[in-house]
Amino acid sequence: MAASSRTLPQSLRHYLVNPAALGYLAVVAAVGVWVGLDMLLVERVDASFAGVWLFIVTAPTSFLFVTLPDELLLAGIAVGAVAQALALGAAYRSARGRAARRTSPAGA
């Protein structure tokens, strides 16, 4: 029952601060930097599809925001990244918990 006594910020931190979630957020940040540099530094005659990669990396959650106006479209990327990181963090914690229970001594 100790898990139910956590506050919302404690629960979010519990699922976001682990190698899986932080690694995923690092990949999203790297793609965001790449897209930003592509938009600022590369001259093109036609449009670039580099921005689509942010939606691909944060899919499927970010696809829910595709039909919204431009300001909310960018919020969809952030919401998608955090939602996916929370899901990865929860899966990581669950897998670690099962592995720890399986390897613990029978008398402990």
Side-chain angles (χ1 to χ4, degrees), residues 4 9 13-15 17 28 32 36-37 43 61 63 69 73 81 94 106-107:
S4 64
R13 184 178 183 279
H14 178 74
Y15 290 121
V17 181
V28 172
L37 289 174
E43 296 280 332
T61 310
F63 287 150
L73 187 66
S94 176

Side-chain angles (χ1 to χ4, degrees), residues 37-62:
L37 289 174
D38 182 66
M39 288 178 14
L40 290 174
L41 301 177
V42 178
E43 296 280 332
R44 289 193 174 78
V45 177
D46 57 352
S48 170
F49 282 104
V52 174
W53 281 103
L54 282 171
F55 285 98
I56 292 171
V57 171
T58 58
T61 310
S62 62

Side-chain angles (χ1 to χ4, degrees), residues 88-107:
L88 282 170
Y92 177 83
R93 292 284 181 183
S94 176
R96 289 272 313 219
R98 280 192 214 129
R101 277 183 259 138
R102 197 174 327 130
T103 59
S104 65

Side-chain angles (χ1 to χ4, degrees), residues 71-91:
E71 298 83 23
L72 295 176
L73 187 66
L74 294 176
I77 294 170
V79 169
V82 172
Q84 299 298 99
L86 285 170
L88 282 170

